[in-house]
Amino acid sequence: NAGVTQTPKFQVLKTGQSMTLQCAQDMNHNSMYWYRQDPGMGLRLIYYSASEGTTDKGEVPNGYNVSRLNKREFSLRLESAAPSQTSVYFCASSSEGQGNTEAFFGQGTRLTVV
Amino acid sequence: GNSVTQMEGPVTLSEEAFLTINCTYTATGYPSLFWYVQYPGEGLQLLLKATKADDKGSNKGFEATYRKETTSFHLEKGSVQVSDSAVYFCALSDLTSYGKLTFGQGTILTVHP
């Protein structure tokens, strides 16, 4: 049972380069999320998708775009990477998008922008 | 808006010591409260949760009680082990948020033999 799978695990980009972080879940969950983790700041929501076909901004969406490709896949794109986007990125999913359901997380992507 | 505040870390303990990590929150309505744990090199996983006032969540010897009067959800364990070394996150979500989580800053716990 794979759960939530993210690729790649590590990436180094030069300022101005673009890349897409991939995320897939095999739990038939409706809701999916992208968070970034920075030291001393916990995790902050970048974008989320409450259901297939919908996406919405979270707390820190600037510089990012997302695509909910189908129910399983939710990708995060950096169009022009900046050093401020150096972070660890986590994808997560949950079953019904209600406040009391557990979120399942991928193992993360460590991104460095130089 | 919603917010979560955790005690500042890191926390260093000897094996079999008592653990408390404080967590307080601000939210409109009646949120659900969670503790997530992140082991080195891994993603977050749910440790325990509570969905209404006075509920106690428990798992693997850890406990936390939802205290609405003090807006708190402190994590406790009576006797920690080296294997409990990890980062602990307090978080909340509410019924209007589509499962979006608001996290505290995280507390690094190191347990020495």
Side-chain angles (χ1 to χ4, degrees), chain B residues 15 19 23 49 72 80 82 89 108-109:
Chain B
E15 206 164 25
L19 169 70
C23 171
K49 71 177 185 182
S72 65
V80 294
V82 172
F89 292 94
I108 300 171
L109 171 66

Side-chain angles (χ1 to χ4, degrees), chain A residues 60-82:
Chain A
V60 289
N62 291 345
Y64 305 95
N65 284 301
V66 291
S67 295
R68 183 76 182 265
L69 304 169
N70 48 54
K71 192 171 186 179
R72 290 187 63 247
E73 298 172 287
F74 188 41
S75 62
L76 178 72
R77 182 159 179 85
L78 287 70
E79 291 291 352
S80 179

Side-chain angles (χ1 to χ4, degrees), chain A residues 94-104, chain B residues 23 31-37 45-60 62-67 72-76 89-95 99 101:
Chain A
S94 66
S95 58
E96 297 186 25
Q98 295 184 14
N100 59 1
T101 54
E102 176 182 358
F104 293 82
Chain B
C23 171
S32 293
L33 302 173
F34 305 84
W35 278 100
Y36 280 84
V37 60
Q45 55 187 272
L46 181 68
L47 180 60
L48 53 84
K49 71 177 185 182
T51 58
K52 60 183 188 295
D54 299 324
D55 268 1
K56 177 185 284 187
S58 61
N59 186 26
K60 299 181 181 179
F62 291 88
E63 293 183 339
T65 301
Y66 189 142
R67 301 286 188 201
S72 65
F73 193 55
H74 305 321
L75 183 68
E76 296 182 338
F89 292 94
C90 186
L92 69 79
S93 185
D94 62 51
L95 288 175
L101 290 162

Side-chain angles (χ1 to χ4, degrees), chain A residues 48-69:
Chain A
Y48 69 102
S49 171
S51 61
E52 186 179 356
T54 69
T55 61
D56 277 293
K57 295 178 180 179
E59 181 184 354
V60 289
N62 291 345
Y64 305 95
N65 284 301
V66 291
S67 295
R68 183 76 182 265
L69 304 169

